[in-house]
Amino acid sequence: MSDTPAYRVAPGADISPDATIGDGSSIWHLAQVREGARLGANCVIGRGAYIGSGVVMGAGCKIQNYALVYEPAELADGVFVGPAAVFTNDHFPRAVAPDLTPKSASDWDAVGVTCETGASIGARAVCVAPVTIGTWAMVAAGATVVHDVPPHALVAGVPARRLAWVGRSGQKLTPAADGTDAWVCPTTGEWYVPDDSTGGLLLASSPQADAPRPAELLDSDEQDGTSA
């Protein structure tokens, strides 16, 4: 039985022996994965990225170069975190107490960022905990997120506000042509409907299922009842 890890670690990466790394994952140069962190299978941690103590990450996540994911963040499967993005973890950050004595870890309660399945965080975005980034939502580069982002929302700006809806492909959705409040992905043909429980959207169908389709056009001979 081999003792070789089932994941790749580049020279200079710093991985705590108390961290759990899933099979097929890659940890690149100068990245740091702290004690108690749990990474799922096939994750990619880019150069210089930081994964804090006890951070939980699902399968297939991609953390780009120099992103900072502070504990107690939780990332579901397939989450993308762009270069130099930051997840904060302190409501009231101070280096010292009111008497100017240094603060310790016991002097504050950490709060975390939660990213649901398929969510994407753009380069240099800042997510100010505690916030939840909904399923397949997208945070634009440079945005500052201070409120929860509903599923499939595209948010941008400082503070971040919703600009559009996006599908699982990442493309902006377009209003359905049938007059309902549904939305359609121009790339995949998937249909989405409002979800009152989250304030976002919910996948309604795949293009192979019950999504309405244009009527098939008949050729001119069929339309007038003649045949060749």
Side-chain angles (χ1 to χ4, degrees):
M1 182 174 180
S2 173
D3 293 329
T4 303
Y7 53 86
R8 297 185 297 171
V9 180
D14 180 5
I15 302 177
S16 168
D18 294 327
T20 301
I21 313 297
D23 291 352
S25 293
S26 298
I27 316 295
W28 290 102
H29 306 78
L30 305 179
Q32 183 178 12
V33 181
R34 294 284 304 278
E35 60 276 6
R38 291 185 285 134
L39 280 59
N42 301 312
C43 289
V44 177
I45 309 300
R47 177 185 176 91
Y50 175 85
I51 309 299
S53 305
V55 167
V56 177
M57 193 178 301
C61 292
K62 188 171 186 178
I63 313 300
Q64 294 283 64
N65 296 358
Y66 301 103
L68 306 177
V69 180
Y70 290 104
E71 68 278 2
E74 295 186 7
L75 285 63
D77 293 345
V79 169
F80 174 89
V81 180
V86 179
F87 289 8
T88 74
N89 67 351
D90 196 343
H91 272 307
F92 311 108
R94 292 291 195 197
V96 296
D99 61 0
L100 295 182
T101 58
K103 292 185 71 174
S104 67
S106 62
D107 292 326
W108 57 283
D109 295 321
V111 290
V113 174
T114 299
C115 292
E116 297 181 341
T117 301
S120 292
I121 314 299
R124 289 193 177 277
V126 178
C127 296
V128 181
V131 291
T132 296
I133 314 299
T135 302
W136 298 105
M138 183 174 290
V139 175
T144 298
V145 179
V146 296
H147 300 293
D148 291 350
V149 177
H152 293 284
L154 167 62
V155 299
V158 182
R161 300 182 185 279
R162 189 180 70 81
L163 300 183
W165 298 111
V166 291
R168 296 191 296 178
S169 70
Q171 296 292 320
K172 289 183 181 180
L173 302 179
T174 58
D178 62 352
T180 67
D181 56 1
W183 296 79
V184 183
C185 176
T187 300
T188 66
E190 293 175 337
W191 281 55
Y192 298 82
V193 295
D195 181 7
D196 292 338
S197 66
T198 63
L201 298 183
L202 182 68
L203 179 65
S205 67
S206 68
Q208 292 76 30
D210 58 344
R213 287 297 195 176
E216 184 177 354
L217 295 177
L218 302 176
D219 63 35
S220 58
D221 288 340
E222 290 175 324
Q223 289 179 4
D224 64 14
T226 62
S227 61

